[in-house]
Amino acid sequence: MERSPEDAGGSPTTLFQLSARAVTADMERLEEDVWGLPAVILQGLLPMLNIYYLERIEPAAVRKGLSTQSVWCKLWKDIMKSKPSRLVTVMCWRKKFLEAFFHNVLRGILDVSADRRLHDRRFSPLDHSARHVSELTICNKQQEVTELTPALLQSLAQSVEALKFLHLRSSDSDTQKCLRLLLHHLIHHGHVNKVSVLSWPCPDNQLLDLILTMSAGYWQPDTDSPCSSCLLADSPPISGERSGGPGALLSLQPLNISQNVPASSTSCGGPGGGHSSEPNDLYDFIFSVSAVGDSTPETSCVEGVTSVGASPLSGAMLFRSVRALNLHNIPLTLPSCRSLCRLLRSWTSLERLTMAYNDCNVLLRRLGFHDMKMSDAPSEILHLLGLSRLEEIKFSFCRLFETSSADFVAEFVAAVRRNPSVRILTLNGNRLGNDGLCALAELYSPDSLSGIIYLDVSSNCIKPDGLLRFTKKLEGCGKLTLRQLDISQNLLDRDPVLAREALQALEGVCRVVRDNWDSSQAFTDHVGVM
């Protein structure tokens, strides 16, 4: 091809390049004609298009067997000035670039007028790239949320699946009002299934409560500026996703409860000791804190522990809520503990709760989990048992040993044996069985550091022969710290003679809590409601 005169910059330019530049400069008029060009011509034209037309031409390029990935990759290197991690495989460079482009423009750290590939008078950078944002990150004082127009919120509600808050700081009331609308659109009317709040050493309780409450699906309508999406429906859409699935999972690392929470009254899962009455909630991870010094009307004291009502916000409407919540390095104060307690009692769509506080805080004394599947989190459980200074740990109907191997049972016992602080261990309803019970006898061997005085193994499918084996092992352990053993609602009626022998031997060792449970009738009742 013939060479044209050199450009002003001194580099030679081909006739094709001159023609291509003329075409790309007039894309507003020639766009549809360009889509119909032969593949060989279109291939050379792609690198000269700005990001708006490059994104719009994608369907036509795919039909002609062309890929724009190399063009988007070059744009990433030229504009973002960084190389992607070698540990991450980029599946779509177009999405990766436009998602980062949206965040950079929103925060005002990228000047689109500085590069012709980023600027076009026909298009808004934010409107055009919003559809590619699957994870939206809000930082610092959340200034960027004030830039999100109703049209942008509508677009983001269709694309964003994860919402991340990073290094948050307190903001003014106007900014929080915008943030509230953003949460409402993206969670309640959108597709966000995961909310993460990360690295917030000194959280603003009011702002944290807003994020948690909205994530749980609650919305207090603003009569002054009603939501247009809500007005389209006669009644607010209550999500059908509020039922927790069988894969519910909690990942827990050492908690960091702030210094103003009393050491003797902090618990998670309450109320209190393993022999106290249970609340009526059926969901998993409930904070309960002492009622000392608290006389708020929405709380009622049960044996010294606060039981917080299920309704977290008076007059609030219930909308769609998220499935995953991640709180990382967020010290929890007394008010935030109460707020999370109220929300989790009705937050039944929550399938994964991840809490990671890298500080092992010595103020946390009692921790309880109720009615949640934890058989999928063995490493987190062992981590908790090995590093915490808890005095009471409760796993109530958590299916802890449902699919566990013998190795996990041994590791579980070994972790408890090394922890001298635990005094109360509740394992009711966890499919422990005969072998699991016998393994627990190792907690009282002479070389064990465990000081457990109360052990609850009720509702664990334990049979008389297993109980007898457990008793024989205890007798060989010498002086025991065990004072009370709860074995109620087990299968001891399968062999009354053997059960009586085991119970008589146990009663010489510790106080035994038992009942006359009819296991066959329980099975009949279970089948009757299936």
Side-chain angles (χ1 to χ4, degrees), residues 179-355:
L179 178 62
R180 190 168 169 267
L181 286 173
L182 173 115
L183 290 165
H184 179 57
H185 278 277
L186 269 58
I187 297 175
H188 301 166
H189 293 297
H191 300 283
V192 170
N193 278 314
K194 179 180 181 180
V195 170
S196 298
V197 187
L198 312 173
S199 300
W200 198 1
C202 299
D204 180 325
N205 287 334
Q206 182 181 12
L207 182 55
L208 178 60
D209 184 66
L210 171 65
I211 295 172
L212 294 177
T213 302
M214 301 287 281
S215 298
Y218 289 95
W219 165 249
Q220 190 77 49
D222 188 345
T223 55
D224 295 332
S225 54
C227 169
S228 58
S229 297
C230 290
L231 293 176
L232 294 177
D234 294 332
S235 60
I238 298 179
S239 171
E241 302 176 11
R242 296 193 67 83
S243 297
L249 172 64
L250 176 134
S251 174
L252 184 70
Q253 295 181 21
L255 295 179
N256 179 10
I257 305 296
S258 71
Q259 300 294 321
N260 63 346
V261 182
S264 62
S265 62
T266 305
S267 76
C268 177
H275 54 279
S276 60
S277 59
E278 289 289 342
N280 292 324
D281 68 286
L282 293 178
Y283 195 53
D284 22 60
F285 180 57
I286 308 301
F287 281 104
S288 295
V289 291
S290 173
V292 177
D294 175 49
S295 58
T296 53
E298 72 270 16
T299 61
S300 60
C301 184
V302 180
E303 295 188 8
V305 178
T306 298
S307 176
V308 188
S311 178
L313 189 61
S314 177
M317 294 182 177
L318 186 59
F319 282 77
R320 179 184 179 278
S321 57
V322 304
R323 292 178 179 271
L325 176 66
N326 179 17
L327 301 176
H328 184 95
N329 193 22
I330 312 294
L332 295 177
T333 62
L334 188 60
S336 57
C337 285
R338 288 199 176 108
S339 177
L340 191 55
C341 172
R342 291 193 296 268
L343 293 172
L344 286 174
R345 291 197 170 196
S346 57
W347 197 340
T348 53
S349 72
L350 193 63
E351 296 178 355
R352 186 180 186 99
L353 173 61
T354 303
M355 305 180 73

Side-chain angles (χ1 to χ4, degrees), residues 394-501:
K394 178 179 180 179
F395 298 101
S396 177
F397 294 94
C398 292
R399 304 158 69 179
L400 197 61
F401 305 105
E402 182 178 73
T403 58
S404 301
S405 64
D407 289 341
F408 173 68
V409 176
E411 290 172 346
F412 181 92
V413 172
V416 180
R417 276 167 49 93
R418 293 192 298 267
N419 192 327
S421 66
V422 179
R423 310 289 284 174
I424 299 173
L425 179 61
T426 301
L427 297 173
N428 61 312
N430 283 287
R431 311 278 180 92
L432 190 62
N434 286 353
D435 292 340
L437 178 65
C438 291
L440 289 179
E442 295 296 325
L443 297 176
Y444 301 99
S445 61
D447 61 341
S448 173
L449 298 179
S450 174
I452 293 175
I453 60 174
Y454 178 91
L455 180 62
D456 184 347
V457 291
S458 58
S459 304
N460 265 298
C461 304
I462 297 169
K463 298 178 182 178
D465 58 328
L467 184 61
L468 185 59
R469 286 164 49 201
F470 173 75
T471 305
K472 296 296 184 183
K473 292 189 71 171
L474 287 184
E475 290 176 344
C477 293
K479 187 177 180 180
L480 298 178
T481 59
L482 182 62
R483 297 178 187 172
Q484 181 167 307
L485 176 69
D486 190 337
I487 57 170
S488 57
Q489 295 192 355
N490 277 298
L491 307 177
L492 302 184
D493 59 344
R494 299 292 177 87
D495 190 337
V497 175
L498 203 59
R500 192 177 305 112
E501 180 184 351

Side-chain angles (χ1 to χ4, degrees), residues 15-32:
L15 179 60
F16 176 84
Q17 290 174 322
L18 288 174
S19 302
R21 288 181 181 177
V23 169
T24 55
D26 200 16
M27 280 293 290
E28 181 177 354
R29 185 172 62 87
L30 300 176
E31 181 177 0
E32 292 188 6

